[in-house]
C-alpha cells in the first residue's frame, strides 16, 4: 500500500510517499481502508519534531473508511462497516490503517467518510473545550482564536448553538468573512489589532469568562489581557509556536484567572467518553447546527503541499488527504 513516512524531522519536504506492506489487524484492532484522512495541525508538530516521535514514522491521527478486516476478539465492528478514528496510533496518512477498535467509532447514517474524517478530531476537541473544559452557557461572551480554521470553525458554530456571543479572530479579511458567515458576532483581525483592547471595548471593559487560544506564542499576551476576573484561559495549541512560561503571579495580576493546557486524549480516557463525545458531535452535525466545512482536499501523494498550505495559513475549515 502507499503511505507517507518520515525518516527525519524537518519541513514539509521530509514527507515521503513510500510503498509498504498492508498492515494486519492484531487482536482488538480493525483494519480500515481509508476513504478520507483528516489533516490536523498536530501533524505538523509531529513532522517538525515539536512533539517528538520515534523515527522512522508514519504520520496522521485521523481517518475514516471501510473496515476491511477485524482482529481477534473485536465485537464493536464488522467487516464492511464505516469506521472513523482520531486518537492514533500515528500513521493515518496511508491507504490502510490498523487501529484499536475501542478507539474508533461508527458514524451514523448520513455522515460519510469525508465528513467523518473532517469532523472527528476537530469536533471532539470542540466538544470537550465547550462542554467540559469550561461549560459554555447561553449569554456568555467568549473569545475564539483562528476562527476560520478547522477546530475554530466548529467552535464558533457550536458556541453559537449553545447561545454564546462569539468574539472571533482571523488572519485575513477573507477569513474574517468566513468566521462571520459561521455565526461569529465580532471578528478581530488579530495580525493588526490589539486583541485585548478590542475585547475590552466589545465587552464594556469586563473581558471574557473563557478564551480558547490555539495560536500560542503570538496571541498569548492578548488572550491573558482579554479575560474577565476569574476567567479561564484555555491554551490548546501552538500554531504560531509554543506560548511562553508563566509565573503564577501573572494569573493574579490578570484578575485571579485560571490557565489550563488541555489535550483531547485526557478528555477521551475511556471508550464511554469517546462514544459520548462523538455522539454529541454527530448530533450537532445531524441537527444542522454545525456544518463541517471541508475547505480543501489533497491527494495522499501531495501531503507535502497540504502541510505547506496549513503552515502557510492558506487553509480554511478542515483539510483532507484522499488516498
Ligand atoms: P487550523 O486549521 O486552525 O490551522 C491553524 C490556524 O492557526 C491557521 O489557519 C491560522 O489561521 C492560525 N495561525 C496563527 N498564527 C499562525 C502561524 N504563525 N502559522 C500557522 N498558522 C497560524 O488547524 P487545526 O484546526 O488542525 O488546529 C487548530 C489548533 O488546535 C492547532 O493549534 C492544534 O494544534 C490545536 N488542537 C489542539 C488539540 C488539543 O487536544 N489540545 C486538538 C486539536 C487541535 P489565521 O490565518 O486565521 O491566523
Amino acid at each position: 500500500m502507499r503511505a507517507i513516512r518520515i525518516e527525519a524531522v524537518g519541513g514539509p519536504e521530509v514527507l515521503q510517499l513510500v510503498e509498504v506492506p498492508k498492515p494486519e489487524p492484531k487482536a482488538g484492532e480493525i483494519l480500515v481502508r481509508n476513504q478520507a484522512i483528516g489533516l490536523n495541525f498536530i501533524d505538523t508538530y509531529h513532522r517538525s519534531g515539536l512533539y517528538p516521535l520515534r523515527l522512522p514514522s508514519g504520520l496522521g491521527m485521523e481517518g475514516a473508511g471501510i473496515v476491511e478486516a477485524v482482529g481477534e476478539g473485536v465485537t464493536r465492528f464488522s467487516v464492511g462497516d464505516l469506521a472513523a478514528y482520531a486518537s492514533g496510533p500515528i500513521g493515518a496518512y496511508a491507504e490502510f490503517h490498523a487501529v484499536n477498535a475501542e478507539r474508533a467509532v461508527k458514524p451514523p447514517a448520513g455522515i460519510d467518510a469525508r465528513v467523518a474524517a473532517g469532523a472527528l478530531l476537530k469536533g471532539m476537541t470542540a466538544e470537550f473545550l465547550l462542554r467540559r473544559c469550561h461549560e459554555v452557557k447561553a449569554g456568555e461572551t467568549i473569545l475564539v482564536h483562528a476562527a476560520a480554521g478547522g477546530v475554530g470553525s466548529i467552535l464558533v458554530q457550536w458556541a453559537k448553538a449553545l447561545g454564546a456571543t462569539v468574539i472571533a479572530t482571523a488572519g485575513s479579511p477573507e477569513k474574517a468573512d468566513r468566521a462571520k458567515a459561521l455565526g461569529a458576532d465580532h471578528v478581530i483581525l488579530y495580525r493588526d489589532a490589539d486583541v485585548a483592547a478590542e475585547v475590552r471595548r466589545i465587552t464594556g471593559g469586563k473581558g471574557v469568562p473563557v478564551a480558547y487560544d490555539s495560536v500560542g506564542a503570538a496571541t498569548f499576551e492578548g488572550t491573558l489581557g482579554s479575560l474577565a476576573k476569574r476567567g479561564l484561559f484555555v491554551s490548546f495549541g501552538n500554531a504560531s509556536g509554543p506560548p511562553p512560561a508563566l509565573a503564577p503571579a501573572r494569573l493574579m495580576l490578570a484578575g485571579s484567572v485560571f490557565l489550563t493546557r488541555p489535550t483531547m486524549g485526557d478528555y477521551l480516557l475511556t471508550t464511554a467518553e469517546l462514544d459520548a463525545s462523538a455522539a454529541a458531535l454527530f448530533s450537532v452535525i445531524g441537527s444542522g447546527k454545525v456544518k463541517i466545512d471541508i475547505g480543501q482536499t489533497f491527494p495522499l501523494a501531495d501531503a507535502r503541499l497540504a502541510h505547506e498550505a496549513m503552515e502557510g495559513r492558506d487553509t480554511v475549515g478542515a483539510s483532507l488527504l484522499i488516498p
Side-chain angles (χ1 to χ4, degrees):
M1 69 164 188
R2 293 174 314 133
I4 297 291
R5 285 279 180 278
I6 57 170
E7 302 212 329
V9 295
E13 70 283 354
V14 301
L15 300 171
Q16 293 173 341
L17 184 70
V18 294
E19 197 62 42
V20 293
K22 185 167 133 184
E24 294 280 335
K26 298 193 197 73
E29 289 185 344
I30 53 174
L31 180 67
V32 180
R33 175 192 286 272
N34 283 331
Q35 293 175 316
I37 297 156
L39 275 155
N40 290 286
F41 214 86
I42 192 173
D43 306 340
T44 71
Y45 309 149
H46 288 138
R47 191 213 69 225
S48 71
L50 180 65
Y51 294 177
L53 295 180
R54 188 189 296 263
L55 297 173
S57 176
L59 212 65
M61 310 271 297
E62 181 179 34
I66 300 299
V67 175
E68 175 100 350
V70 298
E72 202 189 311
V74 171
T75 51
R76 216 168 131 80
F77 289 92
S78 308
V79 169
D81 284 344
L82 179 63
Y85 56 89
S87 359
I90 287 167
Y93 290 12
E95 288 180 286
F96 295 88
H97 196 34
V99 298
N100 181 344
E102 297 293 318
R103 302 306 294 167
V105 297
K106 266 190 219 175
I111 306 245
D112 65 17
R114 287 191 180 215
V115 171
L120 196 61
L121 196 152
K122 298 165 192 72
M124 292 194 302
T125 300
E127 184 280 317
F128 85 76
L129 291 173
L130 295 171
R131 299 184 352 139
R132 292 187 285 149
C133 210
H134 169 89
E135 196 183 333
V136 171
K137 291 165 224 54
E140 279 184 337
T141 299
I142 70 167
L143 176 62
V144 175
H145 284 299
V151 176
S153 295
I154 301 176
L155 280 175
V156 170
Q157 297 177 77
W158 203 330
K160 287 306 299 174
L162 293 170
T165 295
V166 177
I167 306 175
T169 65
S172 69
E174 296 71 32
K175 288 186 179 186
D177 288 345
R178 211 161 168 119
K180 279 202 189 114
L182 293 167
D185 300 276
H186 308 271
V187 187
I188 302 171
L189 287 170
Y190 60 174
R191 286 170 119 165
D192 306 318
D194 176 339
V195 171
E198 276 299 291
V199 169
R200 295 276 163 207
R201 186 185 61 74
I202 293 164
T203 57
K206 269 178 70 180
V208 290
V210 64
Y212 294 106
D213 187 340
S214 64
V215 175
T219 44
F220 193 77
E221 288 298 330
T223 302
L224 196 57
S226 296
L227 292 169
K229 299 276 187 219
R230 305 197 302 261
L232 177 65
F233 186 144
V234 184
S235 170
F236 72 101
N238 334 274
S240 66
L246 183 84
R250 293 222 48 212
L251 301 176
M252 172 189 71
L253 294 172
S256 303
V257 301
F258 298 82
L259 169 67
T260 185
R261 202 315 178 184
T263 187
M264 187 183 75
D266 290 336
Y267 282 81
L268 302 179
L269 288 177
T270 60
T271 304
E273 280 188 349
L274 169 76
D275 284 344
S277 184
L281 169 65
F282 291 135
S283 163
V284 288
I285 297 174
S287 68
K289 290 176 181 159
V290 170
K291 295 193 174 52
I292 299 305
D293 178 16
I294 297 174
Q296 48 283 306
T297 60
F298 301 86
L300 175 63
D302 286 344
R304 173 184 177 158
L305 296 180
H307 275 224
E308 284 169 357
M310 266 199 295
E311 287 176 304
R313 306 170 78 158
D314 289 334
T315 58
V316 287
S319 309
L320 298 177
L321 288 177
I322 305 298

